[in-house]
Amino acid sequence: MKQIQKKMDNQSISENLKYLRKLKGYSQEELSELTTVTVRTIQRIEKGEVSPHLKTVKLLASALEVEVDDLLTIENPKEENIKTKWLLLLHGTPILGLLLPLGNILFPLFLWIHKREDNPLYNEHGRKVINFQITMSILFLISFVTLITIEGFGFFFFILVVPFAVIVTIINIVSAINSHKCFYPLSIPFIKKKEFIHVAKKLSICIVFLCSSFMGFSQEIERLDGTKISSDSLTEKISYLMKEANVHGMAFTLLDNNKIAYQRTFGYKNKPENKLLNDSTNIYGASLSKAVFSVLVMKLVENGVLDLDTPLESYLPKKIYEYEPKTRWHDDYSALKEDSLYHKITARMCSAHTTGFANWRWGEPDYKLQVHGTPGSKYMYSGEGFVYLQVVLEKMTGKGLEELAQQYIFKPLGMKNSSYEWKERFATNFAYGHNRNDEIYKKDIDNEPRAGSTLETTAEDYSKFLEAVLQKKLISEASWEEIFSPQIRIHSKKQFGPQSNETTTKYDAIELSYGLGWGLIKTPYGVGAFKEGHGNGFQHYSIVFPKAKKGIMMMTNSDNGESIYEILLKVGLRDIYTPADWELWIPFDSKEFK
């Protein structure tokens, strides 16, 4: 009989999971990516072969954005027996609010979030405690206002609120311990039975913000020269500059002591519809793709897959131009059949922009890829060089770029919303690029994965990546030193355009050069390693100073973004070394910051 019941229970979970997964439009593989549950486990659950652990059910429910009960229709066998200690803590911790502002809400709130699913009684008592304490906090604020505005009654009202809250709390502590019952009069039902965790998350954020404001908390961040700036001041300056320069949306991160010290998003992901940008909004990364790919390449070098200085052609059993293209264009190398120089190109040259390839083949008069000059002899920014290295690696490993990046970069760093290709789940929260007239560009979602240009990421994810760079994760210290070592000096007047072919000594003081995937400058605070990104309506810049353990990231979905970068580098980091002229930044004319 027990075996039959277990089979019926499994079948219920099986059908529910299958239905909800398809309703959300996820494949088994996509649902696996959103959780730590393997594809094989999901398959076995849907076939009714296993009875999943409660933790597994919770993970799946969270990914599907449903309640656990929507999956687990039977009575939960792991439901915890009522424990007096948890009821005591739920009802008793609000008293700490007498010592810590808003602690009367924070402490029971966190306990409730942690214990509410263990037993329905914890959930019921926790909601009542939180609702009462929020109500009392509001009454206290009102009483304070009446104290200074209404003579007589105001004072009487003020001195009654706190004693009333304390007395009711003590009565309920005794009642909960003795009879497992509670009663909180005057409570406003801010958290109702069906709202649960979504309300709790929002409430937590609001309370933390209120606590910070109440306590006058504003973090101070140390800049390169040792001076400090408060987070409030930085926020104010960014907001001012964005408004004045009409920058539509921005993700801004400062790193200090090898950690994220300040991270915030501003403005809109879609200005015409007034939709706000946030940390989890998908942002087109453009050439930030190259910085990530350079780390992937060094990981494969460490694994013995390739050598930086071995001609890439030698790794393949036949000529690159003899392979039949599998993509719409980027792995078509038929034009190189007539080229006598490409066979000299190495992984180091691809990463250092010295292949001799144009940035993209459509920049050539005949749209055909060719090598200009001897490979390795001259800096010439080239997305094509990165794609060439990508294609060779894909043929060597039998794995696509996306698979390699997920395996070696994104999953180890917890970059759950990053990819070299568009994912359907990004559609719920992504940023449009904006032109200078406040119009949005059409979102390009059909790009094939390319190492030099197709990164899709978020403010949160790319900040994690830069933090990992400063902490020298993923690859060895020797490999990081290789990435941040100059491979070629740069003497061009500009990075792009006609003046990219003209030379100058203007940047000799900072020894402008290129490493492997990153531009480099020399400063009193050590090497600065930078990477930009450009696309229609997207302009990004990041720079890290490994020796100083500091860095900055600015990502904008606006054609006006770069106009405030030079100012923000000075304000946020005291970086006066980034070659803004070489980057072709046209500065916003701000009299306030001169």
Side-chain angles (χ1 to χ4, degrees):
M1 184 66 184
K2 289 183 178 179
Q3 289 179 343
I4 294 173
Q5 181 63 48
K6 184 175 181 181
K7 186 174 182 180
M8 291 174 63
D9 295 342
N10 290 350
Q11 189 65 24
S12 298
I13 299 170
S14 164
E15 294 302 320
N16 288 345
L17 177 59
K18 195 181 303 181
Y19 170 76
L20 290 168
R21 176 177 61 78
K22 291 182 178 179
L23 184 65
K24 295 290 184 178
Y26 294 141
S27 66
Q28 291 174 336
E29 290 76 12
E30 288 172 331
L31 183 56
S32 177
E33 285 184 11
L34 294 173
T35 65
T36 57
V37 182
T38 65
V39 175
R40 176 59 179 155
T41 299
I42 294 173
Q43 290 172 343
R44 294 185 68 193
I45 294 172
E46 291 190 354
K47 290 178 181 178
E49 296 176 352
V50 295
S51 179
H53 191 279
L54 181 59
K55 288 185 178 179
T56 302
V57 178
K58 288 181 179 179
L59 287 171
L60 293 170
S62 177
L64 293 169
E65 297 180 335
V66 298
E67 298 298 332
V68 172
D69 289 346
D70 292 332
L71 284 175
L72 194 62
T73 55
I74 62 170
E75 184 179 355
N76 182 4
K78 294 187 178 294
E79 184 176 282
E80 179 181 287
N81 291 326
I82 300 169
K83 293 182 179 178
T84 303
K85 68 174 182 180
W86 291 117
L87 292 177
L88 175 60
L89 287 171
L90 278 170
H91 292 277
T93 50
I95 293 177
L96 295 174
L98 296 172
L99 303 175
L100 179 68
L102 296 180
N104 60 317
I105 303 173
L106 278 173
F107 291 112
L109 176 64
F110 292 143
L111 283 170
W112 176 67
I113 292 173
H114 176 66
K115 298 297 295 180
R116 70 179 188 84
E117 290 183 351
D118 291 348
N119 191 287
L121 196 67
Y122 298 156
N123 177 46
E124 180 186 356
H125 280 233
R127 285 189 299 103
K128 290 181 178 180
V129 170
I130 296 164
N131 286 336
F132 177 74
Q133 295 301 334
I134 294 175
T135 303
M136 290 299 102
S137 296
I138 293 172
L139 284 176
F140 178 76
L141 291 175
I142 294 173
S143 72
F144 182 77
V145 173
T146 58
L147 174 65
I148 58 178
T149 57
I150 304 176
E151 187 176 351
F153 173 76
F155 176 75
F156 179 73
F157 185 25
F158 179 74
I159 63 172
L160 281 182
V161 173
V162 174
F164 174 77
V166 172
I167 291 170
V168 171
T169 298
I170 293 173
I171 292 173
N172 277 282
I173 291 173
V174 176
S175 177
I177 293 173
N178 293 333
S179 64
H180 294 171
K181 294 181 180 180
C182 64
F183 174 68
Y184 285 94
L186 305 182
S187 295
I188 300 172
F190 293 99
I191 303 177
K192 299 178 182 179
K193 288 185 179 180
K194 301 267 185 194
E195 292 176 344
F196 291 154
I197 200 69
H198 303 295
V199 173
K201 287 181 178 178
K202 293 177 182 178
L203 191 59
S204 299
I205 294 170
C206 291
I207 291 172
V208 170
F209 175 77
L210 287 172
C211 270
S212 298
S213 301
F214 186 87
M215 298 169 67
F217 176 77
S218 179
Q219 181 185 6
E220 284 199 330
I221 306 159
E222 185 178 82
R223 298 177 283 196
L224 283 172
D225 61 357
T227 60
K228 295 181 179 181
I229 184 170
S230 71
S231 56
D232 286 348
S233 176
L234 183 58
T235 297
E236 182 181 344
K237 287 176 169 59
I238 295 171
S239 298
Y240 170 81
L241 285 168
M242 287 182 63
K243 181 179 179 181
E244 293 298 307
N246 193 29
V247 177
H248 302 88
M250 172 181 281
F252 189 97
T253 298
L254 273 182
L255 300 108
D256 185 21
N257 198 27
N258 289 347
K259 295 184 295 185
I260 295 169
Y262 177 96
Q263 181 182 322
R264 184 162 176 175
T265 54
F266 301 81
Y268 302 90
K269 62 182 179 183
N270 185 336
K271 173 61 174 169
E273 296 185 8
N274 290 323
K275 293 183 177 179
L276 297 176
L277 187 73
N278 59 47
D279 282 351
S280 57
T281 300
N282 172 263
I283 301 173
Y284 170 57
S287 286
L288 295 181
S289 307
K290 298 179 177 70
V292 176
F293 184 65
S294 70
V295 180
L296 171 60
V297 170
M298 288 307 298
K299 184 66 177 179
L300 295 176
V301 170
E302 287 185 354
N303 290 352
V305 175
L306 81 161
D307 178 80
L308 286 174
D309 298 308
T310 298
L312 292 173
E313 184 187 62
S314 65
Y315 288 108
L316 303 179
K318 56 184 180 181
K319 302 295 184 182
I320 190 70
Y321 53 76
E322 293 177 348
Y323 286 90
E324 183 177 347
K326 295 183 178 181
T327 68
R328 280 169 296 180
W329 63 268
H330 75 247
D331 67 341
D332 181 359
Y333 290 102
S334 56
L336 294 182
K337 186 174 182 179
E338 308 300 325
D339 193 286
S340 61
L341 295 172
Y342 89 91
H343 66 277
K344 297 180 179 181
I345 295 174
T346 65
R348 187 185 300 276
M349 296 172 191
C350 291
S351 298
H353 295 287
T354 61
T355 59
F357 286 144
N359 190 13
W360 298 110
R361 62 190 69 186
W362 54 79
E364 298 284 7
D366 56 1
Y367 296 94
K368 291 183 178 180
L369 197 60
Q370 59 179 302
V371 177
H372 299 271
T374 303
S377 63
K378 180 184 178 183
Y379 170 80
M380 185 175 176
Y381 192 90
S382 174
E384 289 283 2
F386 279 74
V387 173
Y388 177 57
L389 175 54
Q390 167 198 339
V391 171
V392 172
L393 283 173
E394 288 177 331
K395 296 185 184 305
M396 290 171 62
T397 63
K399 297 180 178 181
L401 170 63
E402 175 65 11
E403 183 179 358
L404 290 169
Q406 290 291 346
Q407 179 181 353
Y408 292 112
I409 308 291
F410 300 144
K411 288 185 178 179
L413 294 181
M415 297 171 66
K416 296 180 180 180
N417 293 308
S418 294
S419 172
Y420 273 98
E421 62 186 5
W422 175 261
K423 301 290 188 182
E424 195 60 38
R425 67 176 187 273
F426 296 160
T428 60
N429 187 12
F430 71 92
Y432 283 98
H434 297 73
N435 65 23
R436 289 184 169 84
N437 297 319
D438 300 335
E439 301 164 335
I440 60 173
Y441 290 96
K442 180 181 177 181
K443 176 62 181 175
D444 190 355
I445 63 173
D446 64 348
N447 280 325
E448 294 161 319
R450 285 189 283 278
S453 60
T454 64
L455 178 68
E456 301 280 352
T457 190
T458 66
E460 181 181 26
D461 275 9
Y462 204 76
S463 296
K464 287 181 181 178
F465 173 71
L466 292 178
E467 189 175 61
V469 170
L470 283 174
Q471 293 176 4
K472 298 183 178 178
K473 292 182 177 179
L474 299 175
I475 54 178
S476 68
E477 187 167 348
S479 292
W480 282 115
E481 288 297 320
E482 191 74 51
I483 285 177
F484 295 145
S485 294
Q487 308 293 321
I488 186 79
R489 280 290 297 275
I490 299 173
H491 299 286
S492 60
K493 287 186 177 180
K494 307 288 183 182
Q495 185 174 21
F496 299 109
Q499 289 187 299
S500 64
N501 295 316
E502 299 177 18
T503 60
T504 181
T505 59
K506 182 177 180 179
Y507 309 112
D508 286 359
I510 58 172
E511 297 182 13
L512 180 61
S513 58
Y514 229 89
L516 299 179
W518 301 67
L520 304 175
I521 57 175
K522 185 177 180 181
T523 79
Y525 309 103
V527 169
F530 64 87
K531 190 68 203 78
E532 322 89 332
H534 298 87
N536 286 339
F538 292 94
Q539 298 180 345
H540 314 315
Y541 186 78
S542 67
I543 184 167
V544 293
F545 294 84
K547 184 178 179 181
K549 302 180 180 181
K550 301 182 189 300
I552 192 171
M553 178 197 82
M554 299 175 289
M555 300 176 69
T556 61
N557 60 330
S558 172
D559 281 340
N560 296 322
E562 290 176 344
S563 67
I564 61 175
Y565 281 0
E566 187 175 9
I567 299 174
L568 286 177
L569 285 172
K570 294 175 182 177
V571 170
L573 199 61
R574 284 290 188 260
D575 172 13
I576 58 174
Y577 309 99
T578 287
D581 288 344
W582 185 76
E583 293 283 1
L584 296 172
W585 295 347
I586 300 175
F588 161 65
D589 185 16
S590 173
K591 296 179 180 179
E592 180 174 323
F593 289 89
K594 285 188 176 179

